[in-house]
Amino acid sequence: DQQVKQNSPSLSVQEGRISILNCDYTNSMFDYFLWYKKYPAEGPTFLISISSIKDKNEDGRFTVFLNKSAKHLSLHIVPSQPGDSAVYFCAASEGNTDKLIFGTGTRLQVFP
Amino acid sequence: DTGVSQDPRHKITKRGQNVTFRCDPISEHNRLYWYRQTLGQGPEFLTYFQNEAQLEKSRLLSDRFSAERPKGSFSTLEIQRTEQGDSAMYLCASSLPTGLPTGELFFGEGSRLTVL
């Protein structure tokens, strides 16, 4: 039972353009959503999060949008840079637990 | 280096052997998590400690798996009688008490287990 889904295993974007990574979830009890980035041979690193009471959170080039009615969130990276090339994981948590449920990841490649 | 440290980085073992992984969290973090990641999947929650207390265990953590954090600092994850299906990356993460639900887990680089 995959509660957090990332249906696109890979995405290729030209440098300077926008990257849009998508994530869907099934559990309506999730109240916090997060994106993590992972480079090869490293652990995941926290990128940005959003509470379910918001529909947008922005941090520099990264913006996360949440559509609760559709149970969908997306991460926008603009402008994309070659250093953004990594695997991006969407994750979710319930307020009364201390664990994250991760999606399967989307590999982003930003080419010059 | 004040990040989360895991040892060993890579362990190759034969089926049926026992293996132990160690995690040293960031010193001021009192919460410690173990996750497992297999190829093509995201990290899956295994267990979580607050100080020395193990507060939650996943159904993924069979009886062959045991985790400890005896003094509330470093943690060990032991797998007994390893099976080929145990082959995975074992990730440790730590956080401050306010780390979740905002999600700021700090992950180590992981310990990759290969069971032959």
Side-chain angles (χ1 to χ4, degrees):
Chain A
D1 178 23
Q2 193 76 26
Q3 296 187 73
V4 178
K5 302 177 185 178
Q6 294 176 258
N7 293 318
S8 298
S10 63
L11 175 67
S12 188
V13 172
Q14 189 173 28
E15 181 178 7
R17 306 293 292 268
I18 185 171
S19 296
I20 300 177
L21 295 90
N22 293 303
C23 178
D24 297 293
Y25 62 95
T26 58
N27 187 344
S28 59
M29 299 301 292
F30 288 146
D31 55 7
Y32 237 99
F33 303 90
L34 312 99
W35 288 93
Y36 276 74
K37 179 171 70 174
K38 185 181 185 304
Y39 293 117
E42 294 184 11
T45 55
F46 172 76
L47 190 58
I48 191 169
S49 65
I50 187 168
S51 164
S52 61
I53 63 173
K54 295 185 176 180
D55 54 17
K56 177 182 175 181
N57 188 26
E58 190 172 357
D59 184 2
R61 296 185 297 112
F62 303 91
T63 303
V64 56
F65 295 91
L66 175 62
N67 183 334
K68 284 188 65 178
S69 61
K71 294 190 175 67
H72 177 83
L73 66 154
S74 61
L75 174 68
H76 293 208
I77 306 173
V78 55
S80 301
Q81 299 173 354
D84 297 329
S85 298
V87 177
Y88 290 78
F89 290 101
C90 172
S93 72
E94 293 182 48
N96 62 346
T97 70
D98 288 278
K99 64 183 181 185
L100 295 179
I101 308 298
F102 284 86
T104 53
T106 296
R107 181 178 301 277
L108 172 66
Q109 182 180 8
V110 180
F111 59 93
Chain B
D1 185 17
T2 56
V4 177
S5 177
Q6 292 189 245
D7 183 71
R9 294 290 309 278
H10 195 180
K11 178 72 175 179
I12 301 173
T13 191
K14 292 182 178 179
R15 187 177 55 187
Q17 298 295 304
N18 299 344
V19 297
T20 299
F21 300 115
R22 176 180 170 126
C23 172
D24 288 90
I26 295 172
S27 59
E28 62 267 29
H29 289 184
N30 67 348
R31 291 184 174 178
L32 186 147
Y33 307 78
W34 285 99
Y35 282 78
R36 179 175 70 186
Q37 185 178 14
T38 54
L39 195 62
Q41 300 297 315
E44 298 173 292
F45 172 82
L46 292 179
T47 189
Y48 142 67
F49 292 84
Q50 178 153 316
N51 299 313
E52 66 275 10
Q54 187 174 19
L55 297 187
E56 189 172 352
K57 290 173 60 174
S58 165
R59 290 172 296 173
L60 294 174
L61 218 62
S62 75
D63 291 344
R64 297 184 297 106
F65 288 70
S66 63
E68 294 181 344
R69 195 181 182 198
K71 298 182 179 179
S73 57
F74 73 91
S75 175
T76 58
L77 176 68
E78 181 183 16
I79 309 174
Q80 296 181 327
R81 305 181 303 282
T82 53
E83 302 173 355
Q84 288 183 325
D86 298 331
S87 295
M89 177 74 82
Y90 290 86
L91 294 163
C92 177
S94 69
S95 74
L96 291 167
T98 55
L100 281 178
T102 60
E104 289 216 51
L105 298 187
F106 294 81
F107 281 88
E109 294 176 325
S111 292
R112 180 171 296 283
L113 173 64
T114 302
V115 181
L116 302 176

